[in-house]
Each structure stands twice: as C-alpha cells, then as structure tokens.
C-alpha cells in the first residue's frame, strides 16, 4: 500500500526531429517508480536521461507508449490535466533557475501561488521551508547575494514547499563542489522522507549513489539495468 508505484511507464518510445531527420532517442522504456523512494538515474551524456525526466514531468509530449502519474495517463492527456499533474511535481534543475529580481522567499512563494494558496499562508510556508533548508537568515536576499550551494537550497525549498508527490531533479549537484553537493542531496533525501515524496534524480556523481533505494542505468536510450538495493540483484 505504502509503496504503490507513483509512475508507471510501458513501452515508451521518443523521437526528436521530423521526417528524414526523425531520430529515435528512447527505446521501449518500461519502468515503475515507487512512492517514497529515492531512485537515481545514471548513464552517459546524451543517453536520454533528461528527455525521460521531462516526459515524466509532463514537460514534453508523450508520443508513443503509456506513462501514468499515479492513475492519470499522460499520453494524450488534455492540457488542463497536464497542468494539474505538474502541480504535484517539484522540479530541480542543474542550474537553479531562480528569478534574479525576486528574493529567496518570493522565489519559493511563487510555486505556491500557482496553487492558489492565500498570500499570508504562502509567505509563512515559504519562510518555514527556507528555515528547513537552513536559510532562515537569507530569506530576503536576492539570488546574486547567495552562494551556489545556497541558491540550490532555495531551489530545493521551491520544489518542496508545495509537498509534491514526486520530485524530479536533473543533475542538481553538477555545479557544486563535492561536500556541498553531498549536503544538498542529504537534505533533499531527509525532507522528501518527511513529506513522503518520491525522488527521481539524474546524477553523474558516484559519491551519492548510496542515498538511493534504487539505481537505474540508461545507455543509448535504453534502460540497461536496475539495481534493487535491498535485494542486491540486477535484472
Ligand atoms: P542526457 O540527459 O542523458 O545527456 P538528453 O535526453 O539530453 O540526454 O539527450 C538525448 C539525445 O537527444 C542526445 O543525442 C541529444 O543530442 C538529443 N536531443 C536532446 N534534446 C534535443 C532536441 N531538443 N532536439 C533534438 N535532439 C535533441
Ligand atoms: Mg541531461
């Protein structure tokens, strides 16, 4: 019951380009992501990881196959449905993508405004979330006044403040040094466990593989192996 899949993908293919330039990028992807688990997605550059993540996040149109978020089919979903699904997902990218003209609090608060939460409540939730990423003393700072690690923590607060069921993170530590990256991952893991969110994270960073409940490997658009930590098997 607790570990019902949150994402179910069946026979998913994806292509970029049209006509003679059409090129298949993802090949027959079959995958389930469980609620409350940390799943890492590794694989060489160009293997299709970001493409898969953006499909799961409803940021790109599913062309072939089935992709379900909880019990909602994303293939051929209406744009209203996609908006509703996106609201239940937190996104963290390699570059933090904070808005430079908004303070840390305003950046975090923005993701709640999309959910039509009253302003006073949005402000107090944004501040509480910044406290839990240890930025309570940076609430009114602008991104330019923050370090790389602090900006990425604001991005985490922004992704988590709406209590998403799923967090999609694409190389969130790529721009950070090893220790800062490790701290950021541990923080994400702790907060997502507290909130009961699942995490699907693309990473090249071998030093953080141990935070995963599962590790999935992608090569040339195919999922090659799935390691189940608890069983220690490959399939
Ligand atoms: P990864 O995240 O694993 O590095 P991507 O999903 O970004 O891989 O890319 C997979 C493949 O798709 C690469 O060959 C890349 O060049 C190609 N690709 C990515 N985005 C586009 C696009 N917008 N148009 C055409 N090809 C793309
Ligand atoms: Mg990528």
């Amino acid at each position: 019951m607790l570990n019902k899949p949150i994402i179910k993908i069946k026979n998913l293919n994806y292509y970029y380009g049209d006509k003679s330039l059409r090129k298949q990028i993802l090949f027959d992807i079959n995958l389930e992501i469980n609620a409350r688990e940390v799943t890492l997605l590794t694989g060489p550059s160009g293997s299709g990881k970001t493409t898969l993540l953006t499909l799961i996040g409803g940021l790109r149109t599913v062309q072939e196959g089935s992709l379900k978020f909880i019990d909602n089919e994303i293939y051929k979903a209406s744009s209203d449905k996609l908006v509703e699904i996106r609201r239940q997902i937190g996104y963290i990218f390699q570059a933090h993508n904070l808005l430079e003209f908004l303070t840390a609090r305003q950046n975090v608060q923005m993701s709640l405004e999309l959910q039509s939460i009253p302003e006073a409540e949005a402000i107090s939730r944004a501040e509480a979330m910044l406290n839990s990423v240890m930025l309570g003393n940076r609430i009114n700072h602008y991104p330019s006044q923050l370090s790389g690690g602090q900006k990425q923590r604001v991005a985490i607060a922004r992704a988590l403040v709406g209590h998403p069921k799923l967090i999609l993170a694409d190389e969130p530590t790529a721009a950070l040094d090893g220790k800062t990256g490790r701290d950021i991952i541990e923080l994400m893991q702790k907060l997502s466990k507290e909130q009961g969110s699942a995490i699907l994270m693309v990473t090249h960073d071998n030093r953080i593989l141990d935070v995963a409940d599962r590790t999935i490997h992608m090569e040339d658009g195919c999922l090659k192996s799935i390691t189940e930590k608890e069983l220690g098997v490959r399939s």
Side-chain angles (χ1 to χ4, degrees), residues 49-50 170-171:
K49 304 179 300 296
T50 295
D170 199 350
E171 305 192 40

Side-chain angles (χ1 to χ4, degrees), residues 118-129:
E119 191 180 8
E121 187 190 333
I123 290 174
S124 67
R125 280 179 63 178
E127 291 186 356
M129 200 68 224

Side-chain angles (χ1 to χ4, degrees), residues 45 66 69 78 84 91 126 132 141 157-158 173 196 214 218 227:
S45 175
S66 166
F69 177 79
S78 67
E84 189 194 313
Y91 303 89
S132 48
H141 284 54
R158 181 184 55 185
T173 63
R214 287 167 82 197
M218 182 168 260
T227 313

Side-chain angles (χ1 to χ4, degrees), residues 59 80 82-91 99 102 106-119 122-123 125 158-159 161-162:
L59 302 172
D80 284 354
L82 284 177
V83 169
E84 189 194 313
I85 289 169
R86 286 188 207 120
R87 280 202 193 114
Q88 301 177 60
I89 298 177
Y91 303 89
L99 296 175
L102 296 180
Q106 289 167 332
N107 267 287
V108 175
Q109 197 183 327
M110 253 190 50
S111 71
L112 290 176
E113 277 163 10
L114 301 175
Q115 302 190 15
S116 49
I117 287 169
E119 191 180 8
I123 290 174
R125 280 179 63 178
R158 181 184 55 185
V161 72

Side-chain angles (χ1 to χ4, degrees), residues 16 23 25 44-51 60:
Y16 283 119
K23 186 172 171 235
I25 299 295
S45 175
S47 57
K49 304 179 300 296
T50 295
T51 304
R60 194 177 275 298

